[in-house]
Amino acid sequence: MPVVKADAYRHGALEVSRVLEHEGARWLAVSNVDEGVALRESGISARILVMADFLPAERAALLEHNLTPVLHSLDDIAALNALAERNATPVLYHLKIDSGMGRLGTRAEPGAIAQAILAHPWARLEGVMTHFASSANYESGQTGEQQARFDLVCNALQSAGIAPRYLHLSSTIPVAYARRLAWGSMVRPGHAIYGYVSPPRGDAPSRILDVAPALAWKTVVLTVKDIPEGALIGYGGMFRTTRPTRIAVLAAGYADGIPHRLSNRGRVIAGGRFAPIIGAVSMDVTTIDITQSPDLDPGDPVTLLGEAGGLSIDAQQIARLAGTISYSVLCGISARVKRVYI
Ligand SMILES: *Cc1c(COP(=O)(O)O)cnc(C)c1O
C-alpha cells in the first residue's frame, strides 16, 4: 500500500498514483478525505485508505467516494456503525492501535477493543494497523515494545474470533531493514516510493531495499554579474565577498521550497561543479558563487536537487545542511515549481 499523502510527498499524487496503479498497487494510502476524493475524481480506482480520517462531518464524502477510513477510537467504531446502519450498507474500516507512539490510534484494552468490534457489525473490520515511532533507531527498544503491544491486541482479537484480512505495521524503514516480523500482510512505504531510505541509528541489519531518488529539481540562472571584493550580498548583508566574485542569481527561493537555512550554507550544481549559496536565500531568488564556472549564462539550468555531470545532491544532504529531515525538504517543494514527468 504505497503512501501518496501530501501530494505524494510533493511529487504529484495523481501522476504517482496512476503509475503505481499501473504497476499493480491495489491499495493507496492518503492522509485525509480531500486527498482521497481528488484521486477518485481523477479516475483512480485502487482501494484508498484514509489514514487520518477524523471529522464525522466528512464521513458522507468518504462513503460516497468509496474511501476506506482508519478509525482511531472505540467511539469512532460506534459512530461509523450508526452511519452504516442508517444507510443499510456495511462499511469496511481499518483500526489503528496506538501501540506506543502516543499519537493516533486507540489505547483501549484488547478485550474492550474486541467487544467494540463485535458489538458494531455494520462497521466491518478489514484491517488492524499501527505505526512505529523509532523504527530507524536500533539503539532503542521502542519498536520491539510496540510490536509486542500490537501482537497482544491481535491475539486478543483472534481469541474473540475476529480475523481481519490485513495486519499492517511497516512504513519504509521496517521494510528496508528487513524487520520481517513487522511486515504483517501489507506494508505502507512512502519515502521508499520516492527513492529514499533514511539512514538507521545503531546496529542495524543491512538494507535489503535499493532505491534511488525519483525527483530532480532544477531552476535557471536569471542573471550573472561580477562583484568586487568586500561587497555585501543579499538581505542583511549576510555574505561579504573576499575576492572579486562572479555571482549568478537563480530563479528560485524559499517560496519555492529552498530552505532558508541554506543561506550561506547550501550548494547547487551549476556548470558541472558544486557552487555555494552565498548570502540569504530570498523568497524568489538565491545567489550563488560561480567564480569557478564563469561561462554560465542567463537561462542555463542549475540543479538544486538531483544529478548533473556526475555530481549529485539529494534531499538527505540538503536536510543535514538545513537542520531538518529529508521528508520536510521534499514536502517543502512548493506548488509554484512546475512538475515535469519523464
Ligand atoms: C506517512 C506514513 C507512512 C509512510 O511512511 P514512510 O516513512 O514515508 O515510508 C506509513 N504509515 C503511516 C501511518 C504514515 O502516516
Side-chain angles (χ1 to χ4, degrees), residues 12-94:
L14 179 58
E15 290 78 3
V16 169
S17 297
R18 280 189 179 136
V19 170
L20 292 170
E21 199 169 42
H22 184 74
E23 297 286 333
R26 284 175 290 146
W27 280 88
L28 299 169
V30 297
S31 190
N32 62 44
V33 173
D34 284 350
E35 290 178 337
V37 170
L39 292 181
R40 277 283 178 266
E41 288 183 339
S42 302
I44 296 294
S45 60
R47 295 286 303 278
I48 297 178
L49 189 71
V50 178
M51 296 195 295
D53 152 76
F54 270 98
L55 304 176
E58 298 194 305
R59 292 263 159 78
L62 201 129
L63 299 190
E64 187 187 331
H65 292 90
N66 189 26
L67 306 174
T68 305
V70 173
L71 302 187
H72 298 89
S73 75
L74 305 190
D75 288 345
D76 279 348
I77 300 176
L80 188 69
N81 186 73
L83 180 64
E85 189 169 8
R86 262 201 312 282
N87 293 339
T89 311
V91 177
L92 299 173
Y93 71 97
H94 292 217

Side-chain angles (χ1 to χ4, degrees), residues 3 5 9 51 96 103 129 131 170-173 188-192 327:
V3 177
K5 66 189 178 191
Y9 297 32
M51 296 195 295
K96 187 162 191 180
R103 203 183 59 174
M129 65 185 281
H131 194 47
S170 293
S171 57
T172 289
I173 293 280
R188 305 186 306 267
H191 218 26
Y327 293 73

Side-chain angles (χ1 to χ4, degrees), residues 255-302:
D256 300 279
I258 300 178
H260 186 261
R261 290 278 302 273
L262 291 187
S263 299
N264 267 346
R265 196 181 276 167
R267 62 183 188 176
V268 303
I269 306 170
R273 293 171 189 271
F274 288 119
I277 292 174
I278 55 173
V281 173
S282 314
M283 186 181 291
D284 307 308
V285 299
T286 298
T287 36
I288 60 171
D289 180 346
I290 57 160
T291 310
Q292 306 299 323
S293 305
D295 297 337
L296 277 171
D297 289 316
D300 283 350
V302 168

